[in-house]
Amino acid sequence: MAIDTSDFKNGMHFYMDGDVWTIIEFQHVKPGKGGAFVRTRLRKVRTGQVVEKTFRSGERVEPAFVEKVPMQYLYKQGSDAILMDLDTYEQIPVPFDSLGGQGRYLKDEAEISALQAAGETLGYELPNFAELEVVETDPGHRGDTVSGSNKPAKLETGATVQVPFHINIGDVIKVDTRTDSYLERVKK
């Protein structure tokens, strides 16, 4: 039962070149000349690789039925992340790298989802936002609030992001884990 490009939705999974891909975003384009097409940004579930691909309008793809299994990140042990299946309470070591770039924002006991298709774990879906404490940054000085200028800040998980000058050690900030960007300071 293949699906047509007119059925595309953000977050939809399908098979392409033997791998499962997720649609991040798509746009139907109808040029004045020639046939219509669909421009997409896709993420390979297994590796996190993002590509842009254009499909002809009406082109068909094979849907992938991906199950999201709730897991909890317990802690890091060596080069492994120890995850617990929230249904069976089984603890599973997985290579920390398999969590992708967003893994560096995980706090102990954070909930994530294992993405499984046909009984095989393809990858992990991590929270898009994290609230983390700043543990190391240069002090902000009065008058240093020139718009557009930032400074690096090390967070409690070891990740480093660029933050505005008014952020200090001990502040809790909200970070977009997909873009590694500072969003706002969280009120205490």
Side-chain angles (χ1 to χ4, degrees):
M1 188 197 97
I3 52 174
D4 190 284
T5 55
S6 63
D7 297 323
F8 278 5
K9 291 179 179 48
N10 289 343
M12 180 180 277
H13 303 283
F14 65 91
Y15 289 100
M16 181 174 76
D17 303 329
D19 282 306
V20 177
W21 295 77
T22 303
I23 298 173
I24 300 171
E25 60 186 355
F26 68 98
Q27 177 185 17
H28 290 278
V29 179
K30 212 172 176 174
K33 259 182 148 167
F37 59 92
V38 179
R39 187 177 293 135
T40 62
R41 284 188 66 222
L42 308 171
R43 179 183 294 117
K44 189 186 287 190
V45 174
R46 191 179 303 277
T47 64
Q49 171 192 9
V50 175
V51 298
E52 293 189 7
K53 179 164 172 53
T54 301
F55 293 90
R56 289 184 314 280
S57 189
E59 199 170 331
R60 301 174 81 68
V61 294
E62 188 64 35
F65 298 99
V66 175
E67 183 183 4
K68 292 182 180 184
V69 177
M71 306 283 271
Q72 187 176 50
Y73 168 74
L74 297 178
Y75 54 89
K76 185 173 180 178
Q77 183 176 36
S79 62
D80 286 344
I82 307 301
L83 305 179
M84 180 174 66
D85 185 317
L86 290 176
D87 292 331
T88 65
Y89 301 109
E90 176 186 3
Q91 292 187 16
I92 307 157
V94 300
F96 198 83
D97 296 346
S98 68
L99 299 178
Q102 291 175 292
R104 66 180 172 271
Y105 298 106
L106 280 179
K107 286 171 46 172
D108 293 356
E109 300 183 8
E111 291 202 14
I112 65 174
S113 296
L115 301 175
Q116 297 181 344
E120 178 188 3
T121 299
L122 303 174
Y124 300 91
E125 192 172 84
L126 280 59
N128 293 332
F129 304 101
E131 292 183 1
L132 300 167
E133 184 178 339
V134 174
V135 296
E136 199 178 294
T137 189
D138 295 333
H141 298 289
R142 237 179 135 71
D144 272 350
T145 55
V146 180
S147 63
S149 57
N150 290 326
K151 62 181 180 179
K154 187 174 182 180
L155 307 176
E156 62 184 287
T157 60
T160 301
V161 294
Q162 293 293 318
V163 298
F165 277 105
H166 68 273
I167 300 297
N168 295 306
I169 293 173
D171 286 346
V172 176
I173 64 169
K174 187 174 186 178
V175 176
D176 185 327
T177 63
R178 299 164 296 186
T179 60
D180 301 319
S181 57
Y182 162 88
L183 294 173
E184 64 185 359
R185 178 168 47 185
V186 178
K187 304 286 183 261
K188 290 184 188 171

